[in-house]
Amino acid sequence: MTGSLQKKGNTYYAVVRISDETGKERQKWISTGISTIGNNKRQANTKLREILVDFEQKKITYSADILFLDWIDIWMEQKANEVRLNTLECYQMYIQTHIIPFFKPLKLNLQEITAQHIQDYYNKKLKAGQSASSIRKHSVILRGSLGEALKKNLIPYNPVERASLPTSERYIGKAYSAEQAHQLLSVIGDEQLKPAIILGLFYGLRRSEVLGLRWRDIDFNANTVTIRNTVVRFKTLIEHERTKSRSSKRTLYIIPETRDYLLGLLHRQKVNRQLMGSAYIVSDRVCTWDNGEPFKPDYLSQRFVSILAKYDLPKIRFHELRHTAGSLLLNKGLSAKQIQEYLGHEQVSTTLDIYGHLSIEGKREAACTIGKLLKNGLL
């Protein structure tokens, strides 16, 4: 059995070449857990040799006799080439924290997994306090790995399809009223987070879009802002030259009320770069510290909560600035289609599901209209 050491993100991976039962060679990527930052290659090579020895001893092959957890490892190798790194890290966390502790004592082969095993997993996790929405995320791994086994004719059916997921309650997002939004804007003058708050509130940007926005994406001559770059983090901080979906990539007009502020922010960053010289971190990002270092996702979320507490404002999540933008537009009579395009939702039904319940003015108008139409009947 052979293998090599490869870099993925900031981590060394062992790429092991193994054969299936037909003799066809496949690659399996396994994280060594060792950072590529620093002089760690010798340590990573040692880990690679240990992994190769372990695989040789287990003689892992692609067959229905393979242990279920080993099959999940093989499926994860495939997913490493299909999904974003932060999604892969999320899968790995669910597997290590939840799926392995449940299934390892059972020592089940792939063909031994039944719908009842899956149901028992759901029930145990629900009883342990996991939310229904979290369990649905675990199910993505179970369904996907067993679906791949079904595709390769290693199992007769996918047992996940015959188990019942717990019902999840739809999260009802909160939003500020226009008055509360005005109050927030009136107190953030000296806050470092001000540009992020403005982008979230005026443009309805997601956190990843706020952090990914660059000056090259803003055309002051054409008065446009193009959303096409994102920054996300699970374990690894990742910048993507792409958005959540095709609809999320969109071009917006610069809001006149924010134009001077953005120009002033750009000028201030240029001055800081001249003053700090080589100490300045050049990133082209709009949301940065004074030394040019871009904001991190966790900082943005945590600092936003602190700002609300500091000024005694109602507690909402940073993402709910986006909800606020959507609900304010809906209350002012803009169509769901207009709001969908502004916020970058893939489906107009998503817009209605998220913001329909927030349309207080619309509900008041509907009530007044029906009242006027039928009021004579009460006389």
Side-chain angles (χ1 to χ4, degrees), residues 13 19 85 96 126 168 187 190 255:
Y13 277 74
S19 298
L85 179 57
Q96 294 295 325
L126 195 63
S168 58
V187 298
D190 296 327
I255 297 169

Side-chain angles (χ1 to χ4, degrees), residues 28-40:
K28 178 176 176 61
W29 287 63
I30 305 161
S31 173
T32 65
I34 298 170
S35 174
T36 59
I37 301 172
N39 189 22
N40 298 325

Side-chain angles (χ1 to χ4, degrees), residues 11-12 17 20 33 77 99 136 140 157-158 170 207 236 259 273 291 293 312 316 325 337:
T11 303
Y12 281 111
R17 287 176 283 279
D20 62 19
E77 168 205 338
I99 294 175
R136 285 177 178 272
V140 170
Y157 68 95
N158 187 338
R170 186 168 67 90
R207 184 182 73 170
T236 307
R259 178 183 170 84
R273 181 176 179 178
N291 69 347
E293 181 182 0
D312 198 27
I316 59 173
K337 183 64 178 175

Side-chain angles (χ1 to χ4, degrees), residues 226-244:
T226 301
I227 312 305
R228 56 184 160 211
N229 193 60
T230 56
V231 171
V232 294
R233 179 173 203 156
F234 184 72
K235 290 182 180 178
T236 307
L237 189 69
I238 305 169
E239 182 172 1
H240 293 290
E241 182 73 33
R242 59 179 176 177
T243 52
K244 183 178 179 181

Side-chain angles (χ1 to χ4, degrees), residues 5-244:
L5 203 62
Q6 300 290 338
K7 294 180 181 180
K8 190 175 180 67
N10 294 326
T11 303
Y12 281 111
Y13 277 74
V15 182
V16 182
R17 287 176 283 279
I18 58 180
S19 298
D20 62 19
E21 47 192 3
T22 67
K24 185 177 180 180
E25 191 175 80
R26 300 177 182 273
Q27 288 186 341
K28 178 176 176 61
W29 287 63
I30 305 161
S31 173
T32 65
I34 298 170
S35 174
T36 59
I37 301 172
N39 189 22
N40 298 325
K41 190 167 185 179
R42 180 176 294 180
Q43 182 185 355
N45 274 313
T46 300
K47 185 66 176 179
L48 168 64
R49 289 192 291 272
E50 292 174 358
I51 290 171
L52 290 174
V53 169
D54 185 53
F55 266 71
E56 189 65 41
Q57 289 174 346
K58 288 181 179 178
K59 296 187 182 300
I60 293 178
T61 59
Y62 294 91
S63 74
D65 293 329
I66 189 174
L67 286 173
F68 173 53
L69 291 179
D70 287 338
W71 176 256
I72 287 184
D73 283 344
I74 291 170
W75 178 77
M76 282 290 287
E77 168 205 338
Q78 176 181 318
K79 301 310 288 184
N81 300 316
E82 298 175 358
V83 300
R84 296 182 181 186
L85 179 57
N86 60 294
T87 301
L88 193 68
E89 291 177 340
C90 189
Y91 285 177
Q92 289 169 339
M93 185 274 288
Y94 291 141
I95 291 168
Q96 294 295 325
T97 307
H98 299 285
I99 294 175
I100 288 178
F102 179 87
F103 285 100
K104 189 172 184 178
L106 301 179
K107 298 181 180 179
L108 295 168
N109 290 336
L110 185 58
Q111 78 272 20
E112 293 175 324
I113 294 288
T114 67
Q116 190 58 51
H117 290 122
I118 304 298
Q119 195 66 60
D120 290 344
Y121 176 82
Y122 293 161
N123 294 344
K124 183 173 182 179
K125 290 301 168 184
L126 195 63
K127 188 175 181 180
Q130 287 287 304
S131 68
S133 60
S134 291
I135 295 172
R136 285 177 178 272
K137 294 174 183 177
H138 303 182
S139 181
V140 170
I141 297 166
L142 299 172
R143 184 185 303 274
S145 59
L146 289 167
E148 187 65 25
L150 176 62
K151 189 191 303 182
K152 288 183 167 55
N153 295 318
L154 298 177
I155 54 176
Y157 68 95
N158 187 338
V160 176
E161 302 291 347
R162 301 185 182 184
S164 300
L165 277 164
T167 303
S168 58
E169 295 184 5
R170 186 168 67 90
Y171 176 76
I172 304 298
K174 293 180 286 186
Y176 273 178
S177 65
E179 182 181 354
Q180 290 169 327
H182 288 152
Q183 188 178 356
L184 172 62
L185 292 171
S186 71
V187 298
I188 59 170
D190 296 327
E191 294 291 343
Q192 192 80 44
L193 213 62
K194 182 176 181 178
I197 292 173
I198 285 176
L199 292 171
L201 188 55
F202 281 85
Y203 295 89
L205 301 192
R206 300 174 177 91
R207 184 182 73 170
S208 61
E209 295 168 346
V210 166
L211 296 174
L213 188 66
R214 303 159 301 189
W215 290 112
R216 77 186 79 161
D217 301 321
I218 301 177
D219 187 335
F220 287 104
N221 292 321
N223 269 330
T224 59
V225 179
T226 301
I227 312 305
R228 56 184 160 211
N229 193 60
T230 56
V231 171
V232 294
R233 179 173 203 156
F234 184 72
K235 290 182 180 178
T236 307
L237 189 69
I238 305 169
E239 182 172 1
H240 293 290
E241 182 73 33
R242 59 179 176 177
T243 52
K244 183 178 179 181

